[in-house]
Amino acid sequence: MQLRAEGKTFSTEEHLQGLIYSLLSAQTVWANIERNFDNIDRLFFFYDINEIKKHDYKFFVDGLRSFGCGSRLSNAQMKALHGNLITIEKIIAEYGSMDAFVTSKSQREIVKLMSSSGSKYKLRQFGPALTWEYLRNVGVDGAKPDVHMKRILGANRLGVSKKEDASDDEVLDAIEQLSKETGLWMAQIDYLFWLYCATDKGEICTASPRCDKCVVKEFCNM
């Protein structure tokens, strides 16, 4: 976020890196992905789109599994990869670059374009949460409405929502308001919440919360 605020333009390779990191974050322990950034970068040829296109999905699935970053989603994710590259190339042809595309409209509009069924910019295997993750990876501020955020802001925890799990918009609205009040990036606030909840991180407000360790329990409905 700070780099973009200072005027940085992110390259196609950096956008592909952000997309791959986001994709691999789905239904896995993120700490394991973090430990293997170097292996992932090498496996995907440092995000050279032409080199990636030379290899079929099994090459990448086998590679991910070789250093312990495979998941039950890997086959579907890697099968979608070549089709997603075609979509990315179409976006670049239309807008001049991925960077121009992701900054051409509001964050929420871009997320809808890239994650909604029927959109010509839809990337397979990407829903709203992973699309938000990708945008943050290339310096576009926002929050990721994932399972952790929806749960902690739900009716049974901090009570932002009246439902057990907060909706995407409720998460985004809450974090946006906190950003305005604190002057912090939405991504910074989201990260603090995520650290409080995630496996191999804070592990406080998990599915089975450790309320005895919680420092905000006076504000919680548990």
Side-chain angles (χ1 to χ4, degrees):
M1 265 49 76
Q2 188 62 41
L3 288 172
R4 183 171 289 283
E6 293 170 357
K8 176 178 172 58
T9 298
F10 288 75
S11 67
T12 298
E13 291 78 15
E14 287 171 320
H15 277 270
L16 286 177
Q17 182 184 51
L19 281 162
I20 294 295
Y21 282 2
S22 173
L23 197 61
L24 297 181
S25 73
Q27 295 188 25
T28 191
V29 177
W30 176 248
N32 188 43
I33 302 300
E34 280 184 312
R35 288 190 288 268
N36 283 283
F37 278 163
D38 290 344
N39 288 326
I40 293 167
D41 292 347
R42 283 192 292 270
L43 175 64
F44 289 93
F45 303 100
F46 298 95
Y47 311 99
D48 183 321
I49 196 167
N50 292 316
E51 286 298 321
I52 293 173
K53 288 194 293 185
K54 292 176 183 178
H55 297 79
D56 68 10
Y57 81 95
K58 290 183 180 179
F59 173 86
F60 298 106
V61 172
D62 291 343
L64 289 168
R65 288 176 175 167
S66 72
F67 45 79
C69 286
S71 75
R72 66 183 185 85
L73 298 178
S74 293
N75 274 312
Q77 291 172 336
M78 295 304 108
K79 282 181 178 178
L81 182 58
H82 281 209
N84 284 343
L85 293 180
I86 291 171
T87 300
I88 288 166
E89 289 179 321
K90 289 179 180 177
I91 291 172
I92 292 171
E94 184 174 345
Y95 282 86
S97 68
M98 284 299 293
D99 221 58
F101 171 65
V102 301
T103 57
S104 65
K105 299 172 177 63
S106 72
Q107 297 101 313
R108 296 196 197 196
E109 288 181 274
I110 294 297
V111 168
K112 288 181 181 178
L113 287 173
M114 298 187 76
S115 63
S116 297
S117 176
S119 169
K120 67 177 181 178
Y121 306 114
K122 171 74 170 80
L123 295 183
R124 292 168 59 199
Q125 297 294 311
F126 279 84
L130 291 188
T131 306
W132 278 110
E133 176 83 359
Y134 152 61
L135 291 177
R136 294 188 313 179
N137 288 342
V138 291
V140 177
D141 194 25
K144 179 182 178 182
D146 64 6
V147 62
H148 299 300
M149 295 296 288
K150 290 183 175 185
R151 183 169 55 221
I152 195 172
L153 296 178
N156 295 337
R157 305 291 172 97
L158 295 182
V160 167
S161 175
K162 293 181 179 180
K163 297 179 180 179
E164 182 176 355
D165 291 327
S167 68
D168 287 7
D169 282 336
E170 285 173 329
V171 170
L172 294 168
D173 289 344
I175 302 306
E176 185 174 4
Q177 183 60 37
L178 280 172
S179 177
K180 291 177 181 178
E181 292 176 5
T182 63
L184 297 172
W185 300 110
M186 289 177 68
Q188 288 176 303
I189 297 167
D190 177 276
Y191 187 57
L192 290 172
F193 275 97
W194 177 77
L195 287 173
Y196 208 60
C197 303
T199 301
D200 280 356
K201 298 297 181 180
E203 294 188 344
I204 302 297
C205 199
T206 61
S208 300
R210 299 166 63 193
C211 299
D212 59 313
K213 301 289 185 182
C214 183
V215 298
V216 292
K217 58 187 176 184
E218 65 183 288
F219 305 104
C220 185
N221 294 326
M222 283 294 291

